[in-house]
Amino acid sequence: MSVIKNDLKRPVRFTKPDRSKEHSMSEIKNDLLLKALRKEKVERPPVWMMRQAGRYLPDYIKLRDKYDFFTRVQTPELAADITLKPFHQIGVDAAIIFSDILVIPQAMGVEVLMEEGKGPSLPKSIKTQKDIDALNTNNVDEYLKYVFDALSLTKKELNGAVPLIGFAGAPWTIFCYMIEGKGSKTWDNAKQFAYTETELAHQLLQKITTITIDYLKAQTKAGADCVQVFDSWAGSLSPEDFKIFAQPYLLQIANAVKDFAPVILFPKGTWYALEDLSKSSASAIGIDWAVSPKQARALTNNNITLQGNFDPAKLLAPIPQIKKWVKEMIDDFGTQNYIANLGHGITPNVPVEHAKAFVEAVKEYQNQDLQN
Ligand code: CP3
């Protein structure tokens, strides 16, 4: 197993994309996703898959043998190429930029390692006031220039075919990695820090929020048509603690970014917050499979576009079964104010044909009220 070290000072090879003709007036041919985010009428729901750009795609796995993870992320040509693969191969209605949520700790000055097959680790986890004071929140333009260049290049290559999604990790989820120093099932250390060093926890969450807002705004300037905030570990908190340590920062981000592009919030495992979040300035809320489509519609009073919530493990079932489940999911959500997606990222063991079947099933969906 090789340990891949990220070094921000390492020169990264890329050519400078031409930002002069920036996307401002460019038209998008398949704009189903943007229509759904604006709650406009669509002929069918748009479909994309969280984590669609890597992992399970054989062409991606080939690239993995040639370039280490952060080379893939930091080289705009590679990132753009990986981003476009699921659009070409699976037929999704949107591209999501190939990157990682952990580029934010890197931009803040924290070393992040990616161990192939094992996941991320941050050898110097945050422990003290001094550690927090040392974190950078400025010059995201400079530190994460490779992301913006990758977005501009992808946008150019897409040539308006489908929208391009930018993203960032939510403050709570980034906090989890920065305190814990690696992935965890329970996030015990992160929670201990939040509950015992509460003042420091809020300082850190605020610093992450501040840089994330700049980062997402800059992504929209570089070509992202909408952005998603992944709060993958929000469900590790109780409903009360989600309101203290996660929700306020999500709302801050949605408020600050909404005038630049539509915002999708994905706080996994927090069905209880749906009512509150439906009143936020987000354009959509992503949900996982722990809440049924009908319950989610009821909790949000039909007020907001919902995204989700197919259990990615169901993509391992036979194709006819996948198609039947997708139809039932759309029946339950309804075709409007809805973005078909998984309830969390696609897993590496999903056969490409099954991912395709998921997308096809959404595209084939016929609904009586759309024909009238
Ligand atoms: O569609 C896409 O995949 C776009 C790119 C993308 C990656 N990470 C690339 C990646 C996105 C949107 C992410 C988000 C991300 N990264 C999240 C939030 C979404 C989620 O799944 O909850 C989280 C928690 C991370 C942190 C992270 N990065 C982990 C836990 C791991 C290891 C496990 C794994 O395989 O995902 C990564 C590495 C990573 N990020 C890979 C990819 C394609 C796999 C490593 C590799 O391919 O070499």
Side-chain angles (χ1 to χ4, degrees), residues 51-53 55 60 69 72 99-101 116 177 232 344:
R51 308 296 303 270
Q52 67 188 20
R55 291 165 136 194
Y60 174 80
F69 182 69
R72 274 172 264 145
S99 186
D100 199 83
I101 61 169
E116 275 324 325
Y177 285 104
S232 307
H344 199 182

Side-chain angles (χ1 to χ4, degrees), residues 276-296:
D276 274 7
L277 294 173
S278 72
K279 296 173 191 153
S280 73
S281 31
S283 295
I285 310 293
I287 55 173
D288 63 90
W289 55 90
V291 59
S292 75
K294 285 183 176 163
Q295 285 169 320

Side-chain angles (χ1 to χ4, degrees), residues 193-207:
F193 192 87
Y195 303 150
T196 60
E197 301 282 357
T198 305
E199 158 61 23
L200 290 187
H202 283 292
Q203 279 183 31
L204 177 53
L205 287 162
Q206 187 53 54
K207 278 196 137 181

Side-chain angles (χ1 to χ4, degrees), residues 99-315:
S99 186
D100 199 83
I101 61 169
L102 297 172
V103 299
I104 280 291
Q106 288 176 342
M108 296 177 90
V110 175
E111 185 186 26
V112 180
L113 311 173
M114 192 62 77
E115 291 182 45
E116 275 324 325
K118 223 181 149 190
S121 77
L122 295 70
K124 293 194 191 77
S125 60
I126 301 297
K127 294 189 173 66
T128 63
Q129 177 79 62
K130 209 167 141 237
D131 295 341
I132 296 171
D133 290 343
L135 294 170
N136 167 60
T137 55
N138 300 313
N139 301 333
V140 77
D141 279 22
E142 189 188 313
Y143 286 115
L144 298 180
K145 184 173 179 302
Y146 59 85
V147 180
F148 310 126
D149 288 340
L151 281 161
S152 303
L153 186 60
T154 310
K155 185 78 184 165
K156 201 171 131 214
E157 289 180 1
L158 272 172
N159 196 21
V162 291
L164 177 57
I165 306 172
F167 74 89
W172 171 255
T173 288
I174 297 296
F175 172 97
C176 281
Y177 285 104
M178 290 178 83
I179 299 291
E180 203 85 30
K182 57 181 182 337
S184 164
K185 283 206 170 74
T186 51
W187 303 104
D188 289 343
N189 296 313
K191 291 188 344 180
Q192 180 183 350
F193 192 87
Y195 303 150
T196 60
E197 301 282 357
T198 305
E199 158 61 23
L200 290 187
H202 283 292
Q203 279 183 31
L204 177 53
L205 287 162
Q206 187 53 54
K207 278 196 137 181
I208 301 166
T209 304
T210 302
I211 189 167
T212 300
I213 287 171
D214 278 357
Y215 179 46
L216 289 172
K217 282 184 188 171
Q219 287 191 46
T220 69
K221 285 185 196 143
D225 299 293
C226 62
V227 294
Q228 172 154 321
V229 183
F230 285 89
D231 212 347
S232 307
W233 314 126
S236 61
L237 293 166
S238 69
E240 293 75 20
D241 293 316
F242 176 77
K243 273 213 159 73
I244 298 170
F245 296 106
Q247 182 166 306
Y249 300 101
L250 285 171
L251 298 185
Q252 222 186 105
I253 292 173
N255 278 331
V257 180
K258 71 164 195 306
D259 292 335
F260 292 77
V263 178
I264 306 168
L265 296 178
F266 173 59
K268 184 173 183 292
T270 63
W271 61 269
Y272 50 80
L274 275 171
E275 186 179 353
D276 274 7
L277 294 173
S278 72
K279 296 173 191 153
S280 73
S281 31
S283 295
I285 310 293
I287 55 173
D288 63 90
W289 55 90
V291 59
S292 75
K294 285 183 176 163
Q295 285 169 320
R297 284 292 187 209
L299 286 164
T300 53
N301 256 320
N302 254 328
N303 264 339
I304 192 159
T305 296
L306 292 175
Q307 173 178 281
N309 71 342
F310 200 80
D311 180 347
K314 288 191 162 174
L315 293 177

Side-chain angles (χ1 to χ4, degrees), residues 52-54 57 60 63 76-88 92 94-99 150-151 154-155 157-158 162-165 167:
Q52 67 188 20
L57 282 177
Y60 174 80
L63 274 179
E77 284 84 355
L78 286 177
D81 181 43
I82 298 168
T83 302
L84 293 171
K85 284 187 193 307
F87 164 64
H88 292 307
V92 281
I96 177 164
I97 192 68
F98 179 76
S99 186
L151 281 161
T154 310
K155 185 78 184 165
E157 289 180 1
L158 272 172
V162 291
L164 177 57
I165 306 172
F167 74 89

